[in-house]
């Protein structure tokens, strides 16, 4: 069985959502890396960066990096149509935006998880977080301006890009700001939040608690 090092409300959630839609059983090894030093140390045995998600394939091989894992799983099960195929005209933009969400947006989690990694002092930390949030909001805005969505971000199929954006847009600077920065994608993520196939999944792995949009 596939094993995934992950945590509620973390970057493992789009991968877990993908496995849920695929109907593939998996086991989650819970590791709240950003709050728990012991969990970070534990995960370093599989991911030297000390981050979730990390996927353990049935062969024992380890795969890290959320975008790579999502692309890999979607390609492994093409019949589920969770990604544009190699010859699909949407493939180039799909790869572009998968990488963009990972590199331009999600990568900032390293700073947000502990601003003292780069802040000059404790007093400087809130300013660092604010600047990071501004940059993320700007990246969402620029992505939104460049896409022409249909039912979903790149057409009428629910690709893993949509699951990725739905989850990562819940991280700081959170959804209310995302809705303002990215009005086209706002419609889409709301739709995915309400997708009946994922209702139980969201409730377990990224619940919509009171005030969650912030
Ligand atoms: N580039 C990585 C980023 C993963 C990441 O930032 N994970 C966060 C949790 S959502 C984490 O484990 N943070 C702990 C830390 O960086 O110390 C990916 O896309 O998988």
């Amino acid at each position: 069985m596939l094993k995934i090092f992950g945590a509620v409300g973390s970057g493992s959630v789009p991968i877990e959502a993908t496995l849920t839609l695929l109907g593939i059983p998996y086991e989650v090894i819970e590791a709240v890396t950003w709050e728990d030093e012991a969990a970070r140390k534990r995960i370093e045995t599989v991911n030297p960066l000390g981050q979730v998600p990390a996927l353990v394939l049935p062969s024992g091989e380890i795969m890290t990096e959320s975008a790579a894992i999502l692309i890999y799983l979607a390609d492994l099960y093409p019949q589920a149509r969770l990604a544009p195929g190699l010859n699909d005209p949407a493939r180039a933009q799909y790869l572009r935006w998968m990488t963009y969400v990972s590199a331009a947006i999600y990568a900032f989690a390293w700073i947000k998880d502990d601003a003292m990694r780069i802040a000059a002092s404790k007093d400087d930390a809130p300013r660092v977080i604010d600047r990071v949030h501004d940059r993320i909001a700007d990246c969402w805005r620029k992505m939104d301006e460049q896409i022409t969505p249909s039912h979903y971000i790149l057409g009428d199929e629910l690709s893993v890009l949509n699951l990725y954006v739905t989850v990562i847009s819940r991280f700081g600077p959170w959804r209310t700001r995302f809705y303002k920065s990215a009005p086209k994608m706002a419609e889409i993520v709301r739709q995915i939040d309400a997708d009946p196939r994922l209702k139980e999944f969201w409730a377990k792995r990224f619940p919509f608690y009171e005030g969650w949009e912030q």
Side-chain angles (χ1 to χ4, degrees), residues 111-133:
I111 298 173
K112 290 186 291 165
D113 286 347
D114 180 1
M116 289 308 289
R117 284 168 167 159
I118 66 153
S121 65
K122 275 208 157 32
D123 290 344
D124 185 40
R127 189 194 60 88
V128 167
I129 298 288
D130 284 351
R131 295 291 298 274
V132 164
H133 283 168

Side-chain angles (χ1 to χ4, degrees), residues 10-11 33-34 40 50-53 65-66 106 109-110 113 117 164:
S10 80
T33 44
W34 61 97
R40 195 162 32 231
Q51 295 181 328
V52 292
E65 296 304 323
S66 51
Y106 186 19
W110 187 75
D113 286 347
R117 284 168 167 159
Y164 202 26

Side-chain angles (χ1 to χ4, degrees), residues 137-202:
D138 196 43
C139 288
W140 285 129
R141 184 177 62 76
K142 291 190 164 114
M143 176 175 174
D144 205 66
E145 284 168 357
Q146 293 178 82
I147 56 170
T148 313
S150 186
H151 196 63
Y152 293 113
I153 295 174
L154 293 176
D156 287 326
E157 311 254 29
L158 172 59
S159 72
V160 290
L161 174 64
N162 296 271
L163 299 172
Y164 202 26
V165 170
T166 298
V167 173
I168 303 299
S169 62
R170 291 187 64 177
F171 300 168
W174 304 285
R175 272 293 186 78
T176 303
R177 192 158 174 197
F178 173 81
Y179 297 149
K180 283 196 205 106
S181 308
K184 291 183 236 166
M185 289 193 287
E187 296 292 311
I188 293 164
V189 296
R190 284 191 172 111
Q191 201 176 290
I192 296 169
D193 292 342
D195 190 315
R197 291 168 296 176
L198 291 168
K199 188 168 188 254
E200 272 175 45
F201 173 79
W202 293 136

